[in-house]
Every structure is written in C-alpha cells, then in structure tokens.
Amino acid sequence: CALESFRESEEIPGGEFSIGLWVGSSTSPNRNNDAVKALKELNKNNDKLKNNPFLIDRCPWCAAEMGPKKINNNCYSEGYVEINKSVIFKCTDHECDYNEHLPLYIIDEEIYKKKPSLVIGTVDKFAMLAWNENIRSLFGFNDRGERELSPPKLIIQDELHLISGPLGTVTGAVEAVFDVLLKHFGAKPKYIAATATIR
C-alpha cells in the first residue's frame, strides 16, 4: 500500500503495486464463483463467522477493521464487496486512501488476471504450471505465449531446511522448470532462501 500510495502521488507510470496470496482452496477461494458463493454464505450464516475464507481482517493502510460482523443475529461482511462476479477488498473507513479498492488478491483467477507485483504462493500451486495454462501470466506470457511483462526478478524460498526430504525433491523439479522458463528469455532472478535451521 505504501508503494502504491507513492506511485499514485508521484504519478509514476505502470500498473499498481499489489500482493497476491496464491494458496489452496482450503485456505481461500480459488475461483471467482467460489468467492461469490463464500461471501453469500458468510453474510447469511452465523456459523461461518469463525471460518473466514477471505483472510483479511484489517486494512493494511489504516488498520480499520474488516471482515464478518454479527449484529442482532444479522451477519454481514465489511470490506468484502462483490463486483463483476468476483470479490474485491475495500477499506471500511471512508477517509482511507483505499476505500475504493485495496491492491490485495487472494482468488486464483484474479491473480492470473492482475499479475500482482508480489505473489506469495505454496509449492503445490507452482507445481500446477504443467496443468494450468493461466499460470504463465505470472511469468509475463500472454495467451499467445508471447512475453508481455517482465518475468519474476526475485524468488524468496522459505523452509529451505526441508530440501533434503521429499518436499525438496518436488520443489527441485518445479524450480528446474522455472529456471528453464526464466533463462530462456534471458532473465536471471535473485534467490533468497530462508531456513529454520543451519544444520
């Protein structure tokens, strides 16, 4: 939000600075119709208040509360808005710079369409590259397989201490494909690896 605010105030050309959370359907909706359905369930079912699939409970810019509320047995959600058969985030504070739209994406279809500046994903999502052609948009390719955006320039890999186990084997195969894709177009991303142990 700070980068996007700076970009707008300085009138820097280019797309918005944004974040995408690219995880499995047990954490957040993966398709727009699932998101709309989840929002309707959240707004009518008291039991769903504990299991919020939209994850965002505060505006990252001003800290205004967002999410499901219950008043007099009526449920509703603040800050989650259905628009164009999808769900977007808006800050609930009308004075906030982001009360029209927060640059946050958690629905797979929106992530492929918006191509956020920073994508936080799980390795099982990246492994879907072989089956889901829409993922190519995150590498800068359009529907015709032509490069239209810069490829990823920074890859931060967490849980590096798991590399010696089965997860490392799967991750290694996926990263080999990434390397081929990126190097084919002359890209040399920087890698940062984080680990819980130096053993």
Side-chain angles (χ1 to χ4, degrees):
C1 286
L3 286 169
E4 179 59 12
S5 179
F6 180 75
R7 186 189 71 81
E8 287 187 350
S9 66
E10 297 299 314
E11 299 180 358
I12 298 171
E16 70 176 2
F17 284 105
S18 57
I19 292 180
L21 182 64
W22 193 36
V23 293
S25 59
S26 61
T27 305
S28 68
N30 286 177
R31 295 191 302 263
N32 283 324
N33 58 350
D34 293 337
V36 170
K37 185 177 173 184
L39 182 60
K40 287 178 180 171
E41 283 293 314
L42 203 61
N43 287 336
K44 73 177 184 182
N45 191 341
N46 296 344
D47 298 331
K48 295 284 184 182
L49 291 177
K50 294 176 186 172
N51 303 316
N52 178 5
F54 296 103
L55 308 173
I56 309 298
D57 61 0
R58 291 193 175 278
C59 171
W61 186 244
C62 72
E65 284 190 31
M66 295 172 61
K69 306 280 181 204
K70 181 180 174 185
I71 297 178
N72 300 329
N73 288 329
N74 293 321
C75 294
Y76 66 98
S77 296
E78 289 187 329
Y80 311 153
V81 182
E82 181 185 344
I83 291 183
N84 297 328
K85 297 181 180 177
S86 184
V87 176
I88 66 163
F89 298 112
K90 290 183 174 188
C91 180
T92 56
D93 184 346
H94 295 293
E95 300 297 316
C96 179
D97 293 346
Y98 294 98
N99 83 324
E100 288 299 316
H101 168 67
L102 276 160
L104 310 171
Y105 302 97
I106 64 164
I107 305 165
D108 287 14
E109 289 178 340
E110 293 302 307
I111 290 171
Y112 304 143
K113 190 174 8 175
K114 302 292 185 180
K115 302 173 238 353
S117 315
L118 174 66
V119 176
I120 301 168
T122 51
V123 72
D124 57 314
K125 298 301 281 191
F126 285 105
M128 291 296 296
L129 183 64
W131 295 279
N132 187 343
E133 62 187 21
N134 295 314
I135 297 173
R136 65 182 165 197
S137 67
L138 299 180
F139 290 87
F141 296 108
N142 62 21
D143 292 342
R144 296 178 302 282
E146 301 162 343
R147 174 147 330 267
E148 64 178 4
L149 294 171
S150 297
K153 294 185 175 73
L154 176 66
I155 296 172
I156 302 173
Q157 183 188 42
D158 196 11
E159 308 286 359
L160 189 67
H161 56 281
L162 300 177
I163 201 162
S164 61
L167 182 62
T169 304
V170 173
T171 305
V174 172
E175 286 187 359
V177 172
F178 284 9
D179 254 10
V180 169
L181 272 175
L182 297 171
K183 286 179 180 173
H184 179 70
F185 288 92
K188 291 182 180 177
K190 291 182 181 177
Y191 285 86
I192 295 177
T195 179
T197 174
I198 58 170
R199 185 168 56 96

